[in-house]
Amino acid sequence: MLTGVTSEPPVRARRPARLSPRVRTWLVAGLSLLGGYVIATARQVAVRPPLVLGQDAVSSPQSREARVTLEQAGGPVIRIRPQNGEARTLLVFYPGGLVRPQAYEWLGRALADQGVETVIPAFPLDLAVTAANRADALIGAYGGGKRVVIAGHSLGGAMAAQYAARHPGKVAGLILMAAYPAGNMTLKDQALPVLSLLAERDGVAAPEAVRGGLNRLPPGTTLTVIPGAVHAFFGRYGPQQGDGQPDVNRAQAEGDILNAVQTYLTGLR
């Protein structure tokens, strides 16, 4: 018989504390709301609205000089051509993230009167990052005999800059609207005319970030500030969450954007 050993009563496992019915009700309601938000957000991204030509365009004298068609070139693309005469310049325009291509139709229509053909592709999920090299098919289909300029708004601008950086000599110009090259991307060594447009009241693409991006662009880059404008004024898709408050109307901002783009294109050799 062993001595010096004392027996201890068995330790009972503690039962987890039970939540009160009220707490359980709030917890279930919160999880349901969170699940609904996630599903709704995922659906919004995955299910994109249809392409409707003319829906977001502005009626103007320039718009009557344009032929607008929906075509296929590596995927759906809005093609905007001068009504009469051949285009001398092809503008490949990458839309902003989650923005439908038709939001930029107003710009293509206005430029058509200046002999510019604009093509605005639709990307998977409306995200240019899913197919940054989409310009290859568009230049192949529409760029014959034309000077090619690539442009983009916001995320589309970053992807347009990436395309220009990775395809030296493929385009004759680059236009960035509230956009800048990614931090690991540079075009400093390219002899490429670049126009960078900065919306003065932009709350999405911070002005300091746009200005900072100039360090990764060719030395001769032109920075033009659009007075009083906000991020969403580059495209016709309505207000954008987190954006600034404009102190000019959309028509004034669009006029300034158009003038800056026309001046830039006219200055290209």
Side-chain angles (χ1 to χ4, degrees), residues 123-147:
F123 290 92
L125 303 180
D126 284 333
L127 295 170
V129 70
T130 61
N133 291 330
R134 181 72 186 282
D136 283 338
L138 300 172
I139 294 171
Y142 306 114
K146 302 182 184 75
R147 173 182 55 191

Side-chain angles (χ1 to χ4, degrees), residues 153-195:
H153 173 220
S154 195
L155 176 63
M159 294 300 101
Q162 176 178 302
Y163 182 86
R166 293 181 175 176
H167 300 79
K170 194 72 176 286
V171 297
L174 170 66
I175 302 174
L176 301 178
M177 298 184 178
Y180 45 89
N184 62 345
M185 194 70 53
T186 181
L187 295 91
K188 288 183 65 174
D189 297 329
Q190 290 199 31
L192 182 69
V194 179
L195 171 65

Side-chain angles (χ1 to χ4, degrees), residues 1-268:
M1 181 176 180
L2 297 175
T3 59
V5 178
T6 59
S7 60
E8 296 182 359
V11 178
R12 294 183 180 180
R14 292 184 178 181
R15 294 181 180 179
R18 290 186 177 182
L19 298 175
S20 68
R22 183 177 182 180
V23 172
R24 287 201 301 268
T25 300
W26 280 106
L27 182 60
V28 170
L31 291 174
S32 298
L33 287 173
L34 178 61
Y37 173 79
V38 171
I39 292 172
T41 301
R43 179 178 175 81
Q44 182 183 10
V45 172
V47 181
R48 307 306 298 154
L51 281 171
V52 182
L53 299 181
Q55 177 172 282
D56 298 309
V58 182
S59 178
S60 66
Q62 289 94 336
S63 67
R64 289 196 293 269
E65 299 298 327
R67 289 182 291 166
V68 185
T69 53
L70 181 59
E71 303 183 10
Q72 289 287 328
V77 58
I78 296 177
R79 184 184 185 190
I80 307 168
R81 291 169 284 172
Q83 185 67 40
N84 300 307
E86 292 294 325
R88 300 177 296 276
T89 300
L90 176 69
L91 180 67
V92 178
F93 194 100
Y94 283 8
L98 299 180
V99 180
R100 294 263 72 189
Q102 63 224 35
Y104 306 94
E105 187 182 335
W106 73 270
L107 180 62
R109 285 177 175 267
L111 291 174
D113 191 50
Q114 309 299 315
V116 178
E117 178 176 343
T118 302
V119 288
I120 314 170
F123 290 92
L125 303 180
D126 284 333
L127 295 170
V129 70
T130 61
N133 291 330
R134 181 72 186 282
D136 283 338
L138 300 172
I139 294 171
Y142 306 114
K146 302 182 184 75
R147 173 182 55 191
V148 178
V149 176
I150 191 167
H153 173 220
S154 195
L155 176 63
M159 294 300 101
Q162 176 178 302
Y163 182 86
R166 293 181 175 176
H167 300 79
K170 194 72 176 286
V171 297
L174 170 66
I175 302 174
L176 301 178
M177 298 184 178
Y180 45 89
N184 62 345
M185 194 70 53
T186 181
L187 295 91
K188 288 183 65 174
D189 297 329
Q190 290 199 31
L192 182 69
V194 179
L195 171 65
S196 177
L197 299 181
L198 187 161
E200 184 182 32
R201 310 279 293 177
D202 198 324
V204 179
E208 59 269 22
V210 175
R211 293 182 186 276
L214 297 175
N215 295 326
R216 300 186 295 280
L217 292 171
T221 295
T222 299
L223 175 67
T224 299
V225 178
I226 307 301
V230 295
H231 196 81
F233 276 4
F234 289 100
R236 294 192 144 262
Y237 56 91
Q240 184 165 346
Q241 185 176 3
D243 207 355
Q245 291 294 324
D247 54 19
V248 297
N249 60 41
R250 176 178 287 275
Q252 178 63 51
E254 287 182 350
D256 290 340
I257 292 167
L258 178 60
N259 288 337
V261 173
Q262 287 177 327
T263 299
Y264 167 79
L265 293 177
T266 300
L268 290 179

